[in-house]
Amino acid sequence: MLRSSQPLTGPNRKRCREDELLLGTILDEEERGFIVDTRSAQVAKQARMTGGGTEPKSSYPRWRRLHRPLERGRPLQESFTKLVEACNDTSISMDRWLSRLESSRWLSHVKAALSTACLAAQCMDREEASVLVHGAEGTDTTLLVTAVAQVILDPSCRTLLGFQGLLEREWIEAGHPFHLRCARSAYSHARLKQEAPLFLLFLDCVWQLSRQFPFSLEFNERLLLTLFDNAYASAYGTFLCNNEKERQVKESTLSLWGWLNQPAERKKYLNPLYSANALVIWPSVEPQSIQLWQGLFFRWIRSSQYLDEAWAEIQQLVESS
């Protein structure tokens, strides 16, 4: 699996021989590859007018391009805001709640992200083909798809340490602009054009996987909630800034991973039901299978005390057996 930004073909359909050669050498003789573009065909075509574009079939004859559009900007942020507002309104009726949940379209975004990640994973696992994923800059929906696909495919990414490595590699080092995307929250009245909860959408997808495969992930929901909190407000330097060039703050801040991996802390984030699963985990993306992440979206209006106590009791039973 590879990831990149869009090719800069522009309106004159410029070619890059080095890029064509690079993608050509990745494939064995007679092998075919797939390009998963997270933009619609129309948006990708329009991008040529500003210098971007797609890979021309004539220049990349052994690669098949698949368009799977995913939202990444203001529509996604507005969806997040609408959902949070609906979740916090405890006075609405059942019909009104269901209507506002649907109109937020958040679960549709979760379904679309999971579906696209499954497509990329299926191309690799079932077609045994190479896959290149890109959108525009390659630092938003691109990372969402490649990261979720690796959790689906790779058992090592489902361990606590492996998941941390995945985040470091696919989100932090790859240049997801955390400062711009997480500058505010759904509660803020300020609306910045570049704000969008892509990382939250990724965490939600992983939560969906953990719910459908409760024994296959070594970490628990508390870890996902902690990552969400630290992406928006953190005492650590791990998610600060927009890219590695800016992230010199690492030299003067503590690492979130260093704190999480302390023996006393690490124990809090382990799934007591975990059993290593070497198989690929294919999630159901049927509408009935995608559920609202109540542990996150209801956390401020509903206590998790009893659920936490239940998990603690399960942990004690596992340790004593």
Side-chain angles (χ1 to χ4, degrees), residues 202-214:
F202 164 71
L203 295 177
D204 201 327
C205 289
V206 175
W207 179 82
Q208 303 289 337
L209 290 170
S210 71
R211 189 189 59 79
Q212 294 189 27
F213 299 92

Side-chain angles (χ1 to χ4, degrees), residues 15 66 72 99 114 183 224 275:
R15 296 179 62 179
L66 306 171
R72 70 185 186 99
S99 175
L114 279 173
L224 301 178
S275 177

Side-chain angles (χ1 to χ4, degrees), residues 148-166:
V148 175
Q150 288 179 67
V151 177
I152 292 171
L153 290 171
D154 188 352
S156 68
C157 292
R158 300 175 217 144
T159 65
L160 182 58
L161 286 177
F163 190 65
Q164 293 174 29
L166 175 73

Side-chain angles (χ1 to χ4, degrees), residues 95-121:
D95 290 344
R96 181 62 176 158
W97 155 248
L98 293 175
S99 175
R100 291 182 66 176
L101 175 62
E102 180 183 12
S103 65
S104 75
R105 300 196 67 247
W106 180 260
L107 295 184
S108 297
H109 295 310
V110 174
K111 172 180 166 54
L114 279 173
S115 298
T116 305
C118 283
L119 172 66

